[in-house]
Amino acid sequence: MAKKEFKAESKRLLEMMINSIYSQKEIFLRELISNASDAIDKIYYKALTDDSLRFDKDSYFIKIDADKENRTLKISDTGIGMTKEELENNLGTIAKSGSLAFKNENESKDGHDIIGQFGVGFYSAFMVADELTVISKALGSDEAYKWESRGADGYSIEPCDKDSVGTEITLKIKENTEDEQYDEYLDEYRLKAIIKKYSDFIRYPIKMEVTSSKLKEGSENEYEEFKEEQTINSMVPIWRKNKSELTPEDYDNFYQEKRYGFDKPLKHIHIKVDGTVRYNAILFIPENIPFDYYSKEFEKGLELYSNGVLIMEKCSDLLPDYFSFVKGMVDSEDLSLNISREILQQDKQLKFIAKNIKSKIKRELESLLKDDREKYEKFYNSFGRQLKFGVYNDFGQDKDVLQDLIMFYSSKEKKLVTLDEYVSRMPEDQKYIYYATGDSIDRIDKLPQTELVSEKGYEILYFTDDVDEFAIKMLMKYKEKEFKSVSSGDLGIEEESEKQTESEEKESKELFDYMKEVLADKVKNVRASKRLKSHPVCLTAEGEVSIEMEKVLNAMPNNQQVKADKVLEINVNHEVFASLKAAFEQDKDKVKLFTNLLYNQALLIEGLPINDPVEFTNDICKVMV
């Protein structure tokens, strides 16, 4: 039979297909299995409208045969087959899809749809094969035909013998090269893995001869290998089953099978949508944080299927960053795909699905917080930081979505509380939501700056994550209540003792000015404290940058040397202040000594480094002798 040339545009497309369209060579098997599934779907569809046809699902399957010796891989199906003309049209003209034409002429029924966009995928086989042979016998035909091609050079079609209706595609697998090991596509374990990965939920059995072992007859511990035909795919995906027939164990098993994590999920979310965009989804909220979650290696995203066929392993567009911990999959019948079966990133359907998933995750987390506090706190201890980062990120555009999900440790409750819980129990005279920052709960408990707020009976939220204060600055207020750091200049608390403090500050202005002069540019000001009760000294900050924010920003790789405007506050009711006043009258050098000691003491309380530890220890010795 004379060889026929591909059309010029088809030849160029074939060369592109082989060399660049597909990112992974293993995808060729997914494409050929999907085409085989399409072919069986066509018989099913015809049986719906043709009384002479009976569709017995058990009679339809896809078969994979690997022959290592002859380096061939055969994919057979019991589908509708192709006539000579269909072989010519579908395989002779690239990008002409028999499935697509069939789909355009007919409407799907009973949930069976034709994956028409995928006809082009047949040619992906040339990524791993030197030669393709297709033998096909069409339904209702007595004749079979063989189509052969070695790639872009062309193809031939000739009559042949085939007993049953359907199609056999035989790939002559390429020889190994330095860069590629093509032998893997003849290895049964590798083939099984590819089928499970991409085609596990094809609705027809994918059969293959696999190696098993059994106890030798008459032996107690000696085994022998044998070959048996097994169905590799599970066929019915869990997400297409009714929720009522599934148990929590079914979801947990699916989580483990898909290797979403080594833990057990805290919660599963099963979504079925049959609106304008039809899709099913199963999502999981993990219990434990992945070891690489905050590393560059971590990839967020859900598995994306189209009609049960895996399109993307990690579709990041389906999840906002702040919900990147969610695991799971989405299967849609309405996605727009390109010729390599990959999702078009700006697809409207994808955006619609992503928006719905975001809302659903938020509602489920709110429900978990309300109905199972212990489980929510377990989740929050793992992923709360990510939610708080979501409040801060992108200039706070998602703060309203997340503000009711975030929690902080409470000075009163001695546990995590929500902002709503804090505000709901605020006394009438309390103007602000108070917070304190530090490396740990224990350290914050001992902060001098908390004394006045605590004495007043007001609750304080403890910020121990480096993102906490940045998130709150972006949030600004909650239910019309502004946030106020216990280290801020004005606490909004009226005290009788303030008059005494102000009076003392006026009387001691010269002392404070002298102390500021001693400290030079280390502090913006030195003043009498309105917040200290038992401690002699503390540091506070003026302006937008707090002391804790300074620590966080300066710990980053691109250190910008950001500095908070620090204020040294002195407790005028402490005996140390009496010593300061006395020294100011009698010995200015001693005032310098005391000032440096107090400043370094305040730095230590804040967890900030001392500029000169040797000088600090020498100063302590001077006081002791």
Side-chain angles (χ1 to χ4, degrees), residues 296 392 470 549-563:
K296 290 180 180 178
Y392 166 73
F470 291 91
M549 290 169 80
E550 174 189 306
K551 287 196 282 185
V552 172
L553 292 169
N554 290 335
M556 291 181 176
N558 57 339
N559 187 341
Q560 300 296 312
Q561 292 299 315
V562 175
K563 296 292 181 185

Side-chain angles (χ1 to χ4, degrees), residues 443 599-610 616:
R443 290 197 70 157
Y599 173 69
N600 283 321
Q601 183 182 337
L603 286 177
L604 286 171
I605 290 168
E606 288 297 324
L608 289 167
I610 292 173
F616 176 59

Side-chain angles (χ1 to χ4, degrees), residues 39-88:
I40 301 174
D41 276 345
K42 289 177 185 179
I43 288 188
Y44 171 84
Y45 184 83
K46 284 191 177 295
L48 294 176
T49 54
D50 187 343
D51 292 337
S52 65
L53 277 177
R54 182 173 174 273
F55 187 86
D56 179 6
K57 192 174 180 182
D58 294 336
S59 302
Y60 294 91
F61 58 87
I62 299 160
K63 183 84 172 3
I64 311 294
D65 292 292
D67 183 342
K68 287 187 179 181
E69 189 176 337
N70 294 305
R71 296 191 71 77
T72 61
L73 180 66
K74 185 192 290 184
I75 296 92
S76 313
D77 69 62
T78 55
I80 201 164
M82 287 179 277
T83 63
K84 180 182 179 182
E85 290 72 27
E86 286 170 333
L87 281 168
E88 180 82 55

Side-chain angles (χ1 to χ4, degrees), residues 426-444:
M426 281 175 61
E428 282 187 25
D429 64 336
Q430 186 178 335
K431 299 176 184 177
Y432 301 106
I433 300 172
Y434 292 103
Y435 68 87
T437 58
D439 296 334
S440 67
I441 290 167
D442 287 341
R443 290 197 70 157
I444 296 174

